[in-house]
Amino acid sequence: MPEMPEAILQARDLVKHYPLTQGVVIRRTVGAVKAVDGVSFDLRRGETLGIVGESGCGKSTLAKLLVNLERPTAGEIRYRGEDVTRLSRRALKSVRRNIQMVFQDPYTSLNPRMTVGDIIGEPFDIHPEVAPKGDRRRRVRELLDVVGLNPEYINRYPHQFSGGQRQRIGIARGLALRPEIIVADEPVSALDVSVQAQVVNLMERLQDEFGLSYVVIAHDLSVVRHISDRVAVMYLGRVVETGTDEEIYDHPTHPYTQALLSAVPVPDPESRGGRERILLAGDVPSPADPPSGCRFRTRCWKADERCERETPPLAVPPAFRTAGGPVAHASACHYAEERLVTGAAAGPAEV
Ligand code: ADP
Ligand code: MG
């Protein structure tokens, strides 16, 4: 068996709670929004980990934790084996250089008053050691070229570009410091469907060219499928299922993943493998007051009182244990294996 590449970034029981306050004059903390509430995963060198979940499940908060824009309430982020949540400011600066973020909305994340050259070159102000002053414009022109934009555009402003081109600018900026890891928070969700594939293709090409490791976040399973080696599905601040893209897309074991997948439009309904569309009951509960036990139970057709009482750990279902791939397909559901054993299509409400 080929040796597994090293885990370059590891999350261990990551938690981010935002205090929930009441009152204007006298502010009191009345609770906490549990935006991220116990997330663990490994990102291996050169691979792409897709993170998927509905709006509000904590994806952007997780992204900010990973690039050290936010400090976790608890848990560890290990970069090359070292816990970065405990580093001094100085040591953290060099870690930050190696883990860059690409933001969701290229319309709002680029300063409209700065030229493209200044936007892409701005990271050099914080890390002047990467590009000496006299060399910066050449570097920026090179970066424009690398992301498929004309280097002659260096003095233009963001409004002179299309959405897809602006996201290319955002990606060029993310590449400026030659990071090892890029965390991309819904990099194509603000773009027209027709240009989404171009940006995803660009990201794949850059990954090969620069040996990048990616965390790519999306609310849409179809976007992540194309680019991911492995996928983690999030619900209410937690990972509910993780596996290779084949495992997640062809053999989803968590009811939430099954429901998400059933909503993805497929060109040929036969290829859904007889799976019906699952409509989930109710809304996502508030992350300030998540359900006891399994957080998905209030919307799950399999839930019983055990799910109310016991929190299902993210575990490998017994039926999978012998299959023994190096990276486990794990599911946080007490009844994850059942569908495997019976092979029955899941879901009570069909369209
Ligand atoms: P996603 O990116 O998956 O849509 P977010 O990480 O943006 O989710 O948000 C997760 C939850 O945390 C939401 O309920 C959101 O309102 C809350 N949240 C995010 N940022 C903050 C903050 N700075 N202060 C308070 N609550 C926040
Ligand atoms: Mg978000």
Side-chain angles (χ1 to χ4, degrees):
M1 198 188 291
E3 214 176 294
M4 292 277 289
E6 73 170 303
I8 189 166
L9 192 68
Q10 296 167 295
R12 287 294 175 268
D13 304 314
L14 265 187
V15 173
K16 181 68 186 183
H17 289 181
Y18 292 108
L20 199 62
T21 55
Q22 221 170 49
V24 178
V25 182
I26 302 167
R27 281 174 88 85
R28 289 178 301 136
T29 301
V30 293
V33 177
K34 294 162 182 156
V36 171
D37 209 25
V39 166
S40 301
F41 62 78
D42 283 3
L43 174 71
R44 298 188 180 280
R45 189 181 284 285
E47 86 168 343
T48 298
L49 175 68
I51 295 184
V52 183
E54 286 167 284
S55 173
C57 72
K59 305 182 298 294
S60 293
T61 304
L62 178 61
K64 286 180 216 155
L65 292 172
L66 295 178
V67 300
N68 300 293
L69 279 175
E70 294 259 21
R71 275 199 170 285
T73 307
E76 290 185 0
I77 299 165
R78 293 185 210 139
Y79 166 66
R80 294 168 158 231
E82 188 176 25
D83 180 11
V84 303
T85 61
R86 281 165 232 272
L87 290 179
S88 67
R89 286 177 81 95
R90 206 186 134 95
L92 191 58
K93 197 175 160 188
S94 93
V95 172
R96 276 201 176 126
R97 186 189 139 183
N98 284 308
I99 312 175
Q100 291 289 313
M101 178 121 152
V102 170
F103 293 92
Q104 176 170 356
D105 186 356
Y107 296 92
T108 57
S109 59
L110 307 180
N111 185 336
R113 282 177 216 89
M114 281 167 73
T115 64
V116 163
D118 289 339
I119 289 171
I120 297 174
E122 195 175 38
F124 298 139
D125 293 341
I126 304 156
H127 294 274
E129 75 281 6
V130 180
K133 263 226 143 66
D135 196 33
R136 286 193 190 177
R137 284 188 73 80
R138 189 189 64 81
R139 291 281 192 109
V140 170
R141 295 169 77 95
E142 205 175 280
L143 285 161
L144 281 166
D145 188 48
V146 156
V147 298
L149 292 173
N150 187 339
E152 301 305 317
Y153 294 167
I154 190 166
N155 294 321
R156 294 194 182 183
Y157 289 87
H159 74 264
Q160 297 174 284
F161 294 88
S162 69
Q165 288 175 324
R166 286 190 216 198
Q167 196 53 304
R168 286 172 195 265
I169 294 165
I171 291 169
R173 183 187 154 100
L175 284 176
L177 300 175
R178 300 219 165 220
E180 292 182 295
I181 301 167
I182 287 193
V183 178
D185 187 8
E186 304 209 33
V188 299
S189 54
L191 304 178
D192 285 346
V193 175
S194 57
V195 294
Q196 287 188 352
Q198 295 168 18
V199 172
V200 170
N201 290 343
L202 169 70
M203 287 182 65
E204 288 187 311
R205 178 170 65 74
L206 296 173
Q207 178 167 42
D208 289 344
E209 211 169 311
F210 298 104
L212 294 163
S213 309
Y214 282 153
V215 176
V216 177
I217 291 169
H219 63 259
D220 182 344
L221 272 164
S222 54
V223 168
V224 171
R225 168 155 217 182
H226 188 70
I227 195 171
S228 303
D229 301 302
R230 284 189 303 127
V231 175
V233 179
M234 279 184 80
Y235 185 80
L236 268 183
R238 296 222 172 117
V239 174
V240 296
E241 182 162 5
T242 177
T244 64
D245 60 341
E246 287 95 345
E247 286 165 341
I248 296 291
Y249 290 90
D250 300 337
H251 306 285
T253 66
H254 196 287
Y256 179 61
T257 314
Q258 292 167 359
L260 272 186
L261 273 171
S262 81
V264 174
V266 287
D268 167 19
E270 290 292 304
S271 70
R272 208 193 276 286
R275 262 186 261 150
E276 300 291 337
R277 176 151 190 181
I278 303 163
L279 287 183
L280 291 176
D283 296 324
V284 184
S286 163
D289 187 21
S292 64
C294 172
R295 292 187 175 191
F296 183 59
R297 70 174 166 82
T298 54
R299 303 174 77 199
C300 183
W301 59 93
K302 285 185 178 177
D304 60 13
E305 51 82 39
R306 182 184 175 197
C307 306
E308 190 175 334
R309 244 180 2 202
E310 280 176 44
T311 304
L314 186 63
V316 183
F320 280 155
R321 274 181 203 152
T322 46
V327 181
H329 179 189
S331 194
C333 174
H334 293 309
Y335 303 112
E337 67 271 37
E338 259 181 20
R339 183 171 165 273
L340 269 174
V341 174
T342 63
E350 275 113 29
V351 179

